[in-house]
């Protein structure tokens, strides 16, 4: 097992390029199951999560080729059963349910468990499939969905914590091959949902309204092969912007989509950093003494839950009292105890972290618990005095392509070592 060792306190400067979006790539790769023709997907990030997804596709019978970010999937004949062994490593495996139901009119996929960021139910996905006419059963740890015929329906996907991203993806992928029109109310508006809809439309689907709260899907009898380039990863973009803010002289994040990270750049601007968005890049510069902020996570275009931990790392050394409320996954605070081990002063009050900025953090051995929490620990390590060692690096490898290499390009003293 690898760990990441960081000698903190080095100023960052220069330019890095962001990779394709993990959370776009996963459902888009799953969507290739909807046609027997080959699909080519460009800018697929090289991550353990995308590898797992390709393993699932291969298990289901697809032929997969991968060469430097370009993946070709030919799912000429497929099976509709994805057992526990194949799907257990990644919760997002659940997004093969929609395409399998759409194409095969049945699917059996092992039920994802909870994870460290919370309970993570899939009731809304299942509610959507049922509305399309599918029967849903849970048997032996598996979800079975089947329908002799899928029929368009009006489906409201609002949940207790707002819309669901993968739920919207899943129901949309089943509905593209249903008979008649489906309307999804309270659909997720995330750019990754828009990217999936764009790809499905290239395959011959008829989806309108992507990026709004209402999706209208006119079912078609079949889809065909298509080529597509994945959008830039907005969470990787945001993570590097925070890295630049935390210890930068001025850094530029290139090949990015500034519009997708507006809530993050707005938060950094409120803290007092100077932000310079260009057509496909964003720069962040120090600009006097950073100020504390109050913010809450929300569905897009609100501040992303996937950036909450990284923001905690930044605010840990921002003078004054900041508050962050986690409104999507109220228990997503595994990083707090680890940041405290580095000297941060933060307390949890329900789903709100109250952060009293300290002058400095001190390097320490810390343990990654989930993907974004690990990113936060790396960011804190860049700022801290002395050496920070982040163990369980496999969490980082799930969602950041060459994080250590990219940070080295910016001047960080960071290396990957064997435990
Ligand atoms: N929810 C339900 N029922 C459902 C589905 C979701 O109650 O059937 C709740 C969840 O428990 C949560 C809220 O609805 O409180 C939103 O969850 P959502 O379904 O949108 O999450 P997801 O689709 O499973 C994706 C990302 C997550 C990201 C969330 C929120 C992928 C592969 N994952 O998960 O990304 O945090 O949306 O934006 O797209 C990450 O990349 O680190 C990550 C965790």
């Amino acid at each position: 097992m690898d760990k990441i060792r960081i000698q903190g306190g080095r100023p960052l400067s220069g330019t890095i390029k962001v990779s394709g979006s993990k959370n776009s790539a996963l459902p888009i790769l799953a969507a290739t199951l909807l046609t027997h023709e080959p699909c080519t997907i460009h800018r697929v990030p090289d991550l353990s999560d995308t590898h797992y997804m390709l393993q699932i596709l291969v298990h289901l019978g697809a032929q997969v080729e991968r060469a430097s970010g370009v993946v070709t999937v030919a799912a000429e004949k497929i099976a509709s059963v994805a057992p526990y062994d194949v799907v257990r490593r990644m919760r997002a495996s659940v997004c093969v349910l929609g395409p399998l139901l759409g194409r095969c009119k049945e699917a059996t996929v092992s039920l994802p468990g909870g994870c460290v960021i919370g309970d993570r139910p899939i009731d809304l996905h299942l509610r959507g499939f049922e509305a399309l006419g599918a029967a849903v059963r849970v048997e032996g740890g598996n979800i079975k969905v089947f329908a002799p015929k899928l029929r368009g329906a009006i489906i409201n996907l609002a949940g207790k914590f707002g819309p669901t991203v993968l739920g919207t993806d899943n129901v949309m992928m089943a509905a593209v091959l249903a008979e008649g029109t489906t309307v999804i109310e309270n659909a997720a508006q995330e750019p990754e949902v828009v990217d999936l809809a764009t790809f499905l439309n290239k395959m011959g689907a008829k989806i309108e309204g992507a990026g709004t709260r209402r999706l209208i899907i006119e079912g078609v009898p079949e889809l065909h092969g298509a080529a597509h380039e994945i959008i830039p990863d907005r969470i990787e973009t945001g993570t590097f912007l925070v890295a630049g803010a935390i210890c930068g002289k001025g850094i530029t994040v290139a090949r990015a989509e500034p519009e997708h990270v507006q809530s993050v750049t707005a938060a950094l601007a409120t803290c007092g950093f100077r932000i310079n968005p260009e057509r496909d890049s964003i720069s962040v510069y120090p600009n006097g003494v950073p100020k504390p902020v109050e913010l809450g996570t929300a569905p897009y275009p609100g501040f992303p839950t996937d950036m909450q931990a990284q923001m905690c790392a930044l605010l840990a050394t921002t003078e004054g009292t900041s508050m962050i409320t986690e409104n999507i996954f109220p228990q997503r605070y595994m990083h707090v105890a680890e940041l405290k081990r580095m000297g941060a002063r933060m307390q949890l009050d329900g789903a709100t972290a109250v952060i009293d900025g300290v002058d400095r953090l001190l390097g320490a051995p810390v343990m990654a618990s989930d993907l974004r929490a690990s990113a936060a620990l790396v960011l804190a390590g860049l700022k801290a005095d002395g050496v920070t060692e982040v163990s369980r690096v496999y969490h980082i490898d799930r969602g950041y392509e060459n994080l250590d290499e990219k940070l080295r390009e910016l001047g960080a003293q960071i290396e990957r070592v064997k435990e």
Side-chain angles (χ1 to χ4, degrees), residues 336-364:
V336 167
E338 298 300 294
L339 289 172
K340 282 165 95 167
R341 298 186 60 246
M342 298 176 71
R345 281 176 46 199
M346 35 183 83
Q347 297 303 327
L348 287 180
D349 179 6
T352 299
V354 181
I355 306 166
D356 284 313
V358 291
D359 287 345
R360 56 188 199 133
L361 295 175
L362 287 174

Side-chain angles (χ1 to χ4, degrees), residues 309-391:
Q310 301 88 314
M311 206 64 191
C312 282
L314 170 68
L315 296 172
T317 54
T318 301
E319 199 184 312
T321 303
S322 295
M323 292 214 264
I324 302 191
T325 302
E326 176 52 69
N327 295 308
I328 312 284
F329 296 111
Q331 303 161 39
R332 194 178 198 176
Y333 278 118
M334 301 294 283
H335 44 285
V336 167
E338 298 300 294
L339 289 172
K340 282 165 95 167
R341 298 186 60 246
M342 298 176 71
R345 281 176 46 199
M346 35 183 83
Q347 297 303 327
L348 287 180
D349 179 6
T352 299
V354 181
I355 306 166
D356 284 313
V358 291
D359 287 345
R360 56 188 199 133
L361 295 175
L362 287 174
V366 286
M367 197 183 287
S369 56
D370 81 76
L371 171 58
R372 309 303 172 187
S374 337
L377 298 179
V378 170
L379 296 177
L382 294 173
K383 177 77 174 177
D385 291 351
V387 175
T388 297
E389 283 188 346
V390 183
S391 53

Side-chain angles (χ1 to χ4, degrees), residues 44 106 116 129 184 187 232 395:
V44 176
E106 61 176 7
V116 289
F129 297 146
I184 303 181
H395 287 294

